[in-house]
Amino acid sequence: DAKTTQPPSMDCAEGRAANLPCNHSTISGNEYVYWYRQIHSQGPQYIIHGLKNNETNEMASLIITEDRKSSTLILPHATLRDTAVYYCIVRGTMYSGGGADGLTFGKGTHLIIQP
Amino acid sequence: NAGVMQNPRHLVRRRGQEARLRCSPMKGHSHVYWYRQLPEEGLKFMVYLQKENIIDESGMPKERFSAEFPKEGPSILRIQQVVRGDSAAYFCASSKGPYNEQFFGPGTRLTVL
């Protein structure tokens, strides 16, 4: 699975959109981009994933660049409860020959929502 | 639909004892993954199981650690003869299929005295 690079920390004001970047320049054609977050020692929480097209669900939006070398997770109206470590993970599929195995978590981005 | 359940949530053992951690996957999920998070470190994959089979145990320490996922009942992560370095949070995740998103439980915090 491709490696990802994220800034170690970010601040965002409550009520504003939080935009979390992720670089994955070695991503291959059939690898998905997944986002998880971990709120202070709780179990990681699945947020969203995508392949090429932008995706949106009730939690967030995922914008993937056309060359797929980077992506941005957008929390449209951040609240204090969104303070967490956010992980961007690239994962293979059966079509990329990727193993159906565990997720590789990096250090993530510690997002702090300021009141 | 209940999420992934883990018990106990907290477990204290003395050096040399055995620790058994249990994980019940989400309803309809037959794939289970175990991860370990050492203090101040990131999450590390340990083992991936599908009912009655170990698919990938590349992240499991070679000694003292074992995992199972029987046909009936929860998945069990077993640590024999625990040492202080085993103190960590152990998370279980489950998925519907091998390439589906994984959903995590609340974790078991193991403290070895």
Side-chain angles (χ1 to χ4, degrees):
Chain A
D1 294 338
K3 182 178 166 55
T4 63
T5 304
Q6 299 178 253
S9 65
M10 292 181 63
D11 286 350
C12 179
E14 189 178 17
R16 304 297 293 268
N19 297 277
L20 292 92
C22 178
N23 286 321
H24 31 78
S25 57
T26 61
I27 194 170
S28 64
N30 289 305
E31 289 183 313
Y32 279 77
V33 179
Y34 280 77
W35 283 84
Y36 283 79
R37 72 180 182 184
Q38 188 174 26
I39 298 173
H40 185 57
S41 74
Q42 295 180 20
Q45 180 185 20
Y46 165 78
I47 301 173
I48 199 168
H49 74 280
L51 181 64
K52 296 181 187 178
N53 300 320
N54 299 336
E55 301 288 345
T56 295
N57 62 20
E58 64 279 1
M59 286 184 70
S61 294
L62 174 60
I63 309 297
I64 302 174
T65 58
E66 196 168 335
D67 63 8
R68 303 210 323 121
K69 292 183 185 297
S70 65
S71 60
T72 301
L73 178 75
I74 301 172
L75 308 177
H77 304 288
T79 71
L80 297 178
R81 288 180 294 182
D82 292 321
T83 291
V85 178
Y86 287 75
Y87 298 97
C88 169
I89 299 168
V90 170
R91 191 176 187 216
T93 68
M94 65 181 83
Y95 304 109
S96 65
D101 51 19
L103 301 171
T104 300
F105 287 84
K107 296 187 185 301
T109 295
H110 187 193
L111 175 67
I112 299 171
I113 306 301
Q114 304 282 4
Chain B
N1 186 10
V4 177
M5 299 176 69
Q6 291 188 249
N7 65 80
R9 296 290 305 276
H10 300 273
L11 182 62
V12 178
R13 286 287 179 265
R14 296 191 180 279
R15 280 179 297 169
Q17 291 184 319
E18 178 179 287
R20 280 185 180 240
L21 288 63
R22 288 178 290 279
C23 169
S24 296
M26 286 178 68
K27 187 177 179 181
H29 288 192
S30 59
H31 299 257
V32 165
Y33 310 78
W34 285 93
Y35 295 80
R36 178 167 69 171
Q37 187 168 34
L38 294 166
E40 307 303 322
E41 293 192 17
L43 285 136
K44 302 292 184 190
F45 164 75
M46 299 179 73
V47 62
Y48 161 39
L49 310 100
Q50 192 182 358
K51 281 289 186 182
E52 301 185 272
N53 293 304
I54 295 175
I55 307 300
D56 180 359
E57 56 182 348
S58 59
M60 283 274 269
K62 293 289 184 281
E63 297 178 352
R64 302 186 297 108
F65 284 73
S66 62
E68 63 177 12
F69 189 16
K71 188 175 181 182
E72 301 292 337
S75 175
I76 306 286
L77 180 68
R78 183 182 176 206
I79 311 173
Q80 295 178 288
Q81 299 175 310
V82 296
V83 301
R84 288 217 175 104
D86 296 333
S87 294
Y90 292 82
F91 294 98
C92 164
S94 73
S95 66
K96 191 178 297 187
Y99 296 100
N100 292 100
E101 53 271 32
Q102 297 177 20
F103 294 91
F104 284 77
T108 293
R109 272 128 193 101
L110 172 66
T111 301
V112 179
L113 302 177

